[in-house]
Amino acid sequence: MYEEKFIDKAISLAKKAEKLDEVPVGAVIVKDGKIVSSAYNKREESRDATAHAEILAIKKACKKLNDFRLLGCDIYVSLEPCVMCMGAILNARLENLYFGASITSGSISAKELVELSNLNHKTNVFGGKKEEECSKLVTEYFKQKRKSKS
């Protein structure tokens, strides 16, 4: 069940990432109404292409729960997950995905990836949670990046 306080936490983490000059994305994994793990993008800091907020949050949750199956867990993300992250979400068997802004770069959507998946688990996908705020974070970040290159 969707709870706004968890998307707010994901947004807070995205803002933390932005301050560190990372693409502003935050992720929170919840089970039984409690945060199990949280993370924000750390690709620049770690020099690791896979250090997306969702992947890092999933790794922490798996370690904490001592299982790669995150059954009964939900993930809240400030930005719609990319293909790599959606694959991890499906493989971790997360119950529900709640995200803020949609990816607008012509990428395949999270919902489409669930439908195309040949896994026996299907994650429920709900987008548009605080979409305007989440979208503005990403848009402003890239505007600043382009401006600083001029």
Side-chain angles (χ1 to χ4, degrees), residues 100-149:
S102 296
I103 296 176
T104 58
S105 63
S107 179
I108 188 167
S109 77
K111 266 193 172 153
E112 290 170 319
L113 285 167
V114 170
E115 290 166 14
L116 291 172
S117 169
N118 62 356
L119 299 172
N120 61 2
H121 172 78
K122 302 292 183 197
T123 299
N124 301 306
V125 177
F126 305 95
K129 306 300 180 186
K130 293 202 159 185
E131 185 170 16
E132 191 174 316
E133 183 177 358
C134 292
S135 182
K136 186 176 178 183
L137 260 175
V138 175
T139 302
E140 291 300 317
Y141 172 79
F142 284 110
K143 250 188 223 177
Q144 285 302 114
K145 292 299 266 185
R146 284 190 296 276
K147 195 182 280 185
S148 66
K149 286 184 180 180

Side-chain angles (χ1 to χ4, degrees), residues 45-87:
E45 176 188 318
S46 66
R47 303 289 184 239
D48 179 353
T50 66
H52 288 204
E54 301 93 323
I55 301 292
L56 298 172
I58 288 169
K59 285 181 178 183
K60 286 181 186 178
C62 290
K63 188 171 185 173
K64 186 172 184 176
L65 298 175
N66 198 32
D67 199 342
F68 78 89
R69 294 172 199 87
L70 299 178
L71 300 172
C73 292
D74 297 332
I75 187 166
Y76 290 76
V77 188
S78 59
L79 182 65
E80 183 175 9
C82 69
V83 173
M84 173 183 70
C85 292
M86 202 56 218

